[in-house]
Amino acid sequence: MTRPTTPKTPRTFHVKSFGCQMNVYDGERMAEMLGAQGMTAAEDGLSADMVVLNTCHIREKAAEKVYSDIGRLRREDGSRPMIAVAGCVAQAEGPEITRRTKMVDIVVGPQAYHRLPELVDKAVRGEEALDTDMPAASKFGALPGRAKQPRPTAFLTVQEGCDKFCTYCVVPYTRGAEISRPWDAILDEAKALVDGGAKEITLLGQNVNAWGDDTGRGLHDLIRALDRVDGLQRIRYTTSHPNDMTDGLIAAHAEVEKLMPYLHLPVQSGSDPILKAMNRSHTRDSYLRLLDKVRTVRPDIALSGDFIVGFPGETDADFEATMSLIREVGYAYAFSFKYSPRPGTPAAEMANQIAPELMDERLKQLQTQITSDQLAFNQRTVGKSCPVLIEKAGRKPGQLVGKSPWLQSVHVYAEGAQIGDMVNVEIVSAGPNSLAGELVQQKEAA
Ligand code: 5AD
Ligand code: SF4
């Protein structure tokens, strides 16, 4: 039997987030809000009365996945949970979603999810439950405070949206214009997270380094204020735009001890004509000079980036320029994608779209280079000691997994250590994706 047209009030929920860390954060806030309404979290989508699919629209594959995920929520007896599509697909496709499938009860955009409880009530009453408003006021004030969830690392969204309009990107349309959350709200939330057990906070934003307020404070001021929060041990931030990489923020990397030596600074391409067609507003040279500045104040910094191969019109020479930039920088980590035309973006209309086979070939070549650079970076840490924040149990008995200051995963056997501990580890071996280490105290005692 299919579920009745008027769904019954859900008592349990499951939130599944796709895509970026900001979606992970939004998913947590939605779960906390539903919890505050008296609902309880179900183990998985199969047993939940209500499932929230918190979607990503950045590339075509990610967006199409939503529909197959919805289909998979149909149960053996033909019934299904109440289904809410949230996130960027909800924003981009809106009412098209309920036209395309009858299985969805609620459509809620990333700037409207504080109204999810009202939408659930509407769906129960059998009314249309769609909200993709992008109000000028931030949703954050309307959300309940952070729930206490003991975990050593936490995300904290401080900035949302993007005004840069890179020609390939849907973000300015799905997340709206750049907004910065207020200073006090951020510090209060950070303190609540630390009280709940967080040792590390990652500040999030589509353009996190564009954070600012009307008193002229910037992200580096926020980082310095967080540095003074007792109990907080590590600060990170992501994702940054080269144009908002201020001298103040670079100086913070030299001076703020809690700010970890890791910088994710997407460049997308190493070729100036392509950067121009992408509307990136930086050049290969200005990007490289920026990295030089950062490395001057923080020589050990781990650099990571985002790359798109196969942007319309990308020639062999353009691609080679990207490869040479990668070799020149020596990234510690990188994310790389095949260009995916997104409806409504200028690049989707450009001539000279690149054949999929050529994109495959370029992506493979680029990823081979990145993997070897990652391995080289990781190998340089072998023999050194560093603090590792333990985040979870490893796959083998007695093994724990944590993160180095440079965001590398470190596997370590550390008897007596617990999740949330900061332990001193000597790195003994390295692969492209992780390191193995030994507890320093343990070695001394032996
Ligand atoms: N096609 C491929 N990759 C994209 N990205 C953004 N839009 C697209 C697109 N249309 C990548 C960029 C960005 C990252 C979040 O996703 O590299 O930095
Ligand atoms: Fe998209 Fe460019 Fe904005 Fe990043 S800076 S979110 S790639 S438009």
CSV table of all heavy atoms in Angstrom, one decimal, residues 168 240 242 264-271 274-275 278 280 282-285 287-288 291 304-308 322 325-326 329 331:
chain,number,residue,atom,x,y,z
A,168,TYR,N,30.9,29.1,-14.2
A,168,TYR,CA,30.5,27.7,-14.1
A,168,TYR,C,29.6,27.4,-13.0
A,168,TYR,O,29.1,26.3,-12.9
A,168,TYR,CB,31.7,26.8,-14.1
A,168,TYR,CG,32.7,27.2,-13.0
A,168,TYR,CD1,32.5,26.8,-11.7
A,168,TYR,CD2,33.8,28.0,-13.3
A,168,TYR,CE1,33.3,27.2,-10.7
A,168,TYR,CE2,34.6,28.4,-12.3
A,168,TYR,CZ,34.4,28.0,-11.0
A,168,TYR,OH,35.2,28.4,-10.0
A,240,SER,N,38.1,29.4,1.0
A,240,SER,CA,38.5,30.8,0.8
A,240,SER,C,38.6,31.1,-0.7
A,240,SER,O,38.8,30.2,-1.5
A,240,SER,CB,39.9,31.0,1.4
A,240,SER,OG,39.8,30.8,2.8
A,242,PRO,N,40.8,33.5,-3.4
A,242,PRO,CA,42.1,34.2,-3.5
A,242,PRO,C,41.9,35.8,-3.3
A,242,PRO,O,42.7,36.4,-2.6
A,242,PRO,CB,42.6,33.9,-4.8
A,242,PRO,CG,42.0,32.6,-5.2
A,242,PRO,CD,40.7,32.6,-4.5
A,264,HIS,N,43.0,26.0,2.3
A,264,HIS,CA,42.4,25.5,1.1
A,264,HIS,C,42.1,26.7,0.3
A,264,HIS,O,41.2,27.6,0.6
A,264,HIS,CB,41.1,24.8,1.5
A,264,HIS,CG,40.4,24.3,0.3
A,264,HIS,ND1,40.9,23.3,-0.5
A,264,HIS,CD2,39.2,24.6,-0.3
A,264,HIS,CE1,40.0,23.0,-1.5
A,264,HIS,NE2,39.0,23.8,-1.4
A,265,LEU,N,42.8,26.9,-0.8
A,265,LEU,CA,42.6,28.1,-1.7
A,265,LEU,C,42.4,27.6,-3.1
A,265,LEU,O,43.4,27.5,-3.9
A,265,LEU,CB,43.9,29.0,-1.5
A,265,LEU,CG,43.7,30.4,-1.9
A,265,LEU,CD1,42.6,31.1,-1.1
A,265,LEU,CD2,45.0,31.2,-1.8
A,266,PRO,N,41.2,27.5,-3.5
A,266,PRO,CA,40.9,27.0,-4.9
A,266,PRO,C,41.5,27.9,-6.0
A,266,PRO,O,41.4,29.2,-5.8
A,266,PRO,CB,39.4,27.0,-5.0
A,266,PRO,CG,38.9,26.8,-3.6
A,266,PRO,CD,39.9,27.6,-2.7
A,267,VAL,N,42.0,27.3,-7.0
A,267,VAL,CA,42.5,28.2,-8.1
A,267,VAL,C,41.7,27.8,-9.4
A,267,VAL,O,41.6,28.7,-10.3
A,267,VAL,CB,44.0,28.0,-8.3
A,267,VAL,CG1,44.4,26.6,-8.6
A,267,VAL,CG2,44.6,28.9,-9.4
A,268,GLN,N,41.3,26.6,-9.5
A,268,GLN,CA,40.5,26.1,-10.6
A,268,GLN,C,41.2,25.8,-11.9
A,268,GLN,O,41.0,24.8,-12.6
A,268,GLN,CB,39.3,27.0,-11.0
A,268,GLN,CG,38.5,27.5,-9.8
A,268,GLN,CD,37.8,26.5,-9.0
A,268,GLN,OE1,37.8,25.3,-9.2
A,268,GLN,NE2,37.2,26.9,-7.9
A,269,SER,N,42.1,26.7,-12.3
A,269,SER,CA,42.9,26.5,-13.6
A,269,SER,C,44.2,27.3,-13.4
A,269,SER,O,44.3,28.3,-12.7
A,269,SER,CB,42.1,27.0,-14.7
A,269,SER,OG,43.0,27.1,-15.9
A,270,GLY,N,45.2,26.8,-14.2
A,270,GLY,CA,46.5,27.5,-14.2
A,270,GLY,C,46.7,28.4,-15.4
A,270,GLY,O,47.8,28.9,-15.6
A,271,SER,N,45.6,28.5,-16.2
A,271,SER,CA,45.8,29.3,-17.5
A,271,SER,C,45.0,30.6,-17.4
A,271,SER,O,43.8,30.6,-17.1
A,271,SER,CB,45.2,28.4,-18.6
A,271,SER,OG,44.7,29.2,-19.6
A,274,ILE,N,41.7,30.9,-19.4
A,274,ILE,CA,40.6,30.1,-18.8
A,274,ILE,C,40.1,30.8,-17.5
A,274,ILE,O,38.9,30.9,-17.3
A,274,ILE,CB,41.0,28.7,-18.6
A,274,ILE,CG1,41.3,27.9,-19.9
A,274,ILE,CG2,40.0,27.9,-17.7
A,274,ILE,CD1,40.1,27.7,-20.8
A,275,LEU,N,41.0,31.3,-16.7
A,275,LEU,CA,40.6,32.0,-15.5
A,275,LEU,C,39.8,33.2,-15.8
A,275,LEU,O,38.8,33.5,-15.1
A,275,LEU,CB,41.9,32.5,-14.7
A,275,LEU,CG,42.7,31.3,-14.0
A,275,LEU,CD1,44.0,31.8,-13.5
A,275,LEU,CD2,41.8,30.7,-12.9
A,278,MET,N,36.4,32.1,-16.8
A,278,MET,CA,35.7,31.6,-15.6
A,278,MET,C,35.3,32.8,-14.7
A,278,MET,O,34.6,32.6,-13.7
A,278,MET,CB,36.6,30.7,-14.8
A,278,MET,CG,36.9,29.3,-15.3
A,278,MET,SD,38.1,28.5,-14.2
A,278,MET,CE,37.9,26.8,-14.7
A,280,ARG,N,37.2,34.5,-12.7
A,280,ARG,CA,37.8,34.2,-11.4
A,280,ARG,C,38.4,35.5,-10.8
A,280,ARG,O,38.7,35.5,-9.6
A,280,ARG,CB,38.9,33.1,-11.5
A,280,ARG,CG,38.4,31.7,-11.7
A,280,ARG,CD,37.7,31.3,-10.4
A,280,ARG,NE,38.6,31.1,-9.3
A,280,ARG,CZ,38.1,30.8,-8.1
A,280,ARG,NH1,36.9,30.6,-7.8
A,280,ARG,NH2,39.0,30.6,-7.1
A,282,HIS,N,41.3,36.5,-10.6
A,282,HIS,CA,42.7,36.5,-10.2
A,282,HIS,C,43.5,35.8,-11.4
A,282,HIS,O,42.8,35.2,-12.2
A,282,HIS,CB,43.0,35.7,-8.9
A,282,HIS,CG,42.5,34.2,-9.1
A,282,HIS,ND1,43.3,33.3,-9.7
A,282,HIS,CD2,41.4,33.6,-8.6
A,282,HIS,CE1,42.6,32.1,-9.6
A,282,HIS,NE2,41.5,32.3,-9.0
A,283,THR,N,44.8,36.0,-11.4
A,283,THR,CA,45.6,35.4,-12.5
A,283,THR,C,46.4,34.3,-11.9
A,283,THR,O,46.5,34.2,-10.7
A,283,THR,CB,46.5,36.4,-13.2
A,283,THR,OG1,47.4,36.9,-12.2
A,283,THR,CG2,45.7,37.6,-13.8
A,284,ARG,N,47.0,33.5,-12.8
A,284,ARG,CA,48.0,32.5,-12.3
A,284,ARG,C,49.0,33.1,-11.4
A,284,ARG,O,49.3,32.7,-10.3
A,284,ARG,CB,48.6,31.9,-13.6
A,284,ARG,CG,49.7,30.9,-13.3
A,284,ARG,CD,50.5,30.6,-14.5
A,284,ARG,NE,51.6,29.7,-14.2
A,284,ARG,CZ,51.6,28.4,-14.4
A,284,ARG,NH1,50.5,27.8,-14.9
A,284,ARG,NH2,52.6,27.7,-14.1
A,285,ASP,N,49.6,34.3,-11.9
A,285,ASP,CA,50.6,34.9,-11.2
A,285,ASP,C,50.2,35.5,-9.9
A,285,ASP,O,50.9,35.3,-8.9
A,285,ASP,CB,51.2,36.0,-12.1
A,285,ASP,CG,52.5,36.5,-11.6
A,285,ASP,OD1,53.4,35.6,-11.3
A,285,ASP,OD2,52.7,37.7,-11.4
A,287,TYR,N,47.8,34.5,-8.0
A,287,TYR,CA,47.6,33.4,-7.1
A,287,TYR,C,48.9,32.9,-6.6
A,287,TYR,O,49.1,32.6,-5.4
A,287,TYR,CB,46.8,32.3,-7.9
A,287,TYR,CG,46.6,31.0,-7.1
A,287,TYR,CD1,45.5,30.9,-6.2
A,287,TYR,CD2,47.4,29.9,-7.2
A,287,TYR,CE1,45.3,29.7,-5.5
A,287,TYR,CE2,47.2,28.7,-6.5
A,287,TYR,CZ,46.1,28.7,-5.6
A,287,TYR,OH,45.9,27.5,-4.9
A,288,LEU,N,49.9,32.7,-7.5
A,288,LEU,CA,51.2,32.1,-7.0
A,288,LEU,C,51.9,33.1,-6.0
A,288,LEU,O,52.5,32.7,-5.0
A,288,LEU,CB,52.1,31.8,-8.2
A,288,LEU,CG,51.7,30.6,-9.0
A,288,LEU,CD1,52.5,30.5,-10.3
A,288,LEU,CD2,51.8,29.3,-8.2
A,291,LEU,N,50.4,32.7,-2.6
A,291,LEU,CA,50.9,31.5,-1.9
A,291,LEU,C,52.3,31.8,-1.4
A,291,LEU,O,52.6,31.3,-0.3
A,291,LEU,CB,50.9,30.3,-2.8
A,291,LEU,CG,49.5,29.8,-3.3
A,291,LEU,CD1,49.7,28.4,-4.0
A,291,LEU,CD2,48.5,29.6,-2.2
A,304,SER,N,46.0,23.4,-0.2
A,304,SER,CA,45.1,22.5,-1.0
A,304,SER,C,44.3,23.4,-1.9
A,304,SER,O,44.2,24.6,-1.7
A,304,SER,CB,44.2,21.6,-0.1
A,304,SER,OG,43.0,22.2,0.2
A,305,GLY,N,43.8,22.8,-3.0
A,305,GLY,CA,43.1,23.6,-4.0
A,305,GLY,C,41.9,22.8,-4.6
A,305,GLY,O,41.8,21.6,-4.4
A,306,ASP,N,41.1,23.5,-5.4
A,306,ASP,CA,40.1,22.9,-6.3
A,306,ASP,C,40.5,23.1,-7.7
A,306,ASP,O,41.0,24.2,-8.1
A,306,ASP,CB,38.8,23.5,-6.1
A,306,ASP,CG,38.1,23.2,-4.7
A,306,ASP,OD1,38.6,22.2,-4.1
A,306,ASP,OD2,37.1,23.8,-4.4
A,307,PHE,N,40.3,22.1,-8.6
A,307,PHE,CA,40.6,22.2,-10.0
A,307,PHE,C,39.4,21.7,-10.8
A,307,PHE,O,38.8,20.7,-10.5
A,307,PHE,CB,41.8,21.4,-10.4
A,307,PHE,CG,43.0,21.8,-9.7
A,307,PHE,CD1,43.4,21.3,-8.4
A,307,PHE,CD2,43.8,22.8,-10.2
A,307,PHE,CE1,44.5,21.8,-7.7
A,307,PHE,CE2,44.9,23.3,-9.6
A,307,PHE,CZ,45.2,22.8,-8.3
A,308,ILE,N,39.2,22.4,-11.9
A,308,ILE,CA,38.2,22.0,-12.9
A,308,ILE,C,38.9,21.7,-14.2
A,308,ILE,O,39.6,22.6,-14.7
A,308,ILE,CB,37.1,23.1,-13.1
A,308,ILE,CG1,36.3,23.3,-11.8
A,308,ILE,CG2,36.1,22.6,-14.3
A,308,ILE,CD1,35.3,24.4,-12.0
A,322,THR,N,47.8,24.3,-16.2
A,322,THR,CA,47.2,23.9,-14.9
A,322,THR,C,48.2,22.9,-14.3
A,322,THR,O,48.5,22.9,-13.1
A,322,THR,CB,45.8,23.3,-15.1
A,322,THR,OG1,45.0,24.3,-15.6
A,322,THR,CG2,45.3,22.8,-13.8
A,325,LEU,N,51.2,24.6,-13.0
A,325,LEU,CA,51.0,25.2,-11.7
A,325,LEU,C,50.9,24.2,-10.6
A,325,LEU,O,51.5,24.5,-9.5
A,325,LEU,CB,49.6,26.0,-11.8
A,325,LEU,CG,49.2,26.7,-10.5
A,325,LEU,CD1,48.7,28.1,-10.8
A,325,LEU,CD2,48.1,25.9,-9.8
A,326,ILE,N,50.3,23.1,-10.8
A,326,ILE,CA,50.3,22.1,-9.7
A,326,ILE,C,51.7,21.6,-9.4
A,326,ILE,O,52.0,21.5,-8.2
A,326,ILE,CB,49.4,20.9,-10.2
A,326,ILE,CG1,47.9,21.3,-10.3
A,326,ILE,CG2,49.5,19.7,-9.3
A,326,ILE,CD1,47.0,20.3,-11.0
A,329,VAL,N,53.4,24.4,-7.3
A,329,VAL,CA,52.9,24.6,-5.9
A,329,VAL,C,53.2,23.4,-5.0
A,329,VAL,O,53.6,23.6,-3.9
A,329,VAL,CB,51.4,24.9,-5.9
A,329,VAL,CG1,50.8,24.9,-4.5
A,329,VAL,CG2,51.0,26.2,-6.6
A,331,TYR,N,50.9,20.7,-4.0
A,331,TYR,CA,49.8,20.7,-3.1
A,331,TYR,C,49.9,19.5,-2.1
A,331,TYR,O,50.4,18.4,-2.4
A,331,TYR,CB,48.5,20.6,-3.8
A,331,TYR,CG,48.1,21.9,-4.5
A,331,TYR,CD1,48.4,22.1,-5.8
A,331,TYR,CD2,47.4,22.8,-3.8
A,331,TYR,CE1,48.1,23.3,-6.4
A,331,TYR,CE2,47.1,24.0,-4.4
A,331,TYR,CZ,47.4,24.2,-5.7
A,331,TYR,OH,47.1,25.4,-6.3
